Amino acid sequence: MDRSAVHHDFDRARSAFRALFDGATEEELRRPSNGTRWKNRQLLFHMLLGFLIMRALLALARIVARLPDRVGRGWARLLNAVTKPFDAVNFLGSWLGGSLMPRKAMVVLCDRTIAALHQRLDRETESGLVKGMPYPTRWDPFFREFMTVADLYRFPVQHFDFHRNQLSLT
């Protein structure tokens, strides 16, 4: 894993997130996004959510990696089976967070979260980066059947870049 590339991608996403908010009017943030049911502001919160969930994803990967393979595969099958409720919670959480959280608070939260991810990545051992677990591939287009901790560090920027193309900001 090229840690410097991941650090660079984190910084690029953080700068882009700030620039998107700084350059958008309130009217633009209330405009529907392209290809989602969210407004631009709610989609921006969803993009931030990709970084916010990293603590849980990393902890889950470490726990499941210690269990027998069949347990991890069963867990991934179970999560795939509950995709519809997950999608509903994912939609409503992003709708609510993007509707209620002030834009300045979202930018500050993004800065702090990515700074924490930088620190956490720097503390990772090589042996820790190769640990992983099966993932629910129906939850996100960037989840693969098996993901390592290194893969997880790449996920939030992939998620961010994908959704950035759905914003309808000028």
Side-chain angles (χ1 to χ4, degrees):
M1 172 184 186
D2 183 354
R3 291 177 200 239
S4 64
V6 175
H7 284 300
H8 172 77
D9 285 344
F10 284 167
D11 287 336
R12 178 180 56 78
R14 178 174 34 192
S15 295
F17 192 79
R18 180 177 290 277
L20 288 165
F21 264 113
D22 288 348
T25 65
E26 286 300 322
E27 179 183 327
E28 288 176 312
L29 291 173
R30 287 190 299 270
R31 206 181 304 158
S33 63
N34 296 315
T36 79
R37 296 182 297 156
W38 289 307
K39 307 285 189 210
N40 284 320
R41 182 187 188 101
Q42 295 160 346
L43 181 56
L44 281 161
F45 183 85
H46 179 75
M47 292 160 64
L48 171 59
L49 195 59
F51 291 94
L52 295 174
I53 65 168
M54 283 299 296
R55 176 179 283 161
L57 292 178
L58 291 167
L60 185 62
R62 284 181 177 79
I63 292 167
V64 174
R66 293 183 180 129
L67 301 173
D69 289 342
R70 63 182 163 70
V71 174
R73 287 190 306 272
W75 177 249
R77 280 193 304 274
L78 173 66
L79 294 179
N80 271 328
V82 297
T83 297
K84 284 192 185 260
F86 167 80
D87 287 345
V89 169
N90 187 29
F91 173 79
L92 290 172
S94 295
W95 182 88
L96 191 61
S99 297
L100 298 179
M101 185 177 273
R103 66 195 288 172
K104 182 174 174 103
M106 278 196 250
V107 171
V108 168
L109 184 57
C110 180
D111 288 345
R112 288 181 180 166
T113 302
I114 291 177
L117 286 172
H118 277 300
Q119 291 175 347
R120 192 168 185 150
L121 176 58
D122 287 339
R123 290 191 310 266
E124 293 285 355
T125 64
E126 292 302 317
S127 62
L129 288 170
V130 297
K131 291 182 176 162
M133 65 175 272
Y135 262 78
T137 56
R138 293 177 56 198
W139 280 31
D140 191 277
F142 299 105
F143 284 174
R144 295 190 314 271
E145 286 188 24
F146 186 89
M147 294 184 70
T148 64
V149 169
D151 294 330
L152 290 175
Y153 276 106
R154 292 183 196 99
F155 163 74
V157 175
Q158 292 171 322
H159 179 260
F160 180 90
D161 289 342
F162 173 80
H163 286 300
R164 184 176 182 182
N165 292 327
Q166 294 176 314
L167 292 167
S168 63
L169 302 172
T170 54

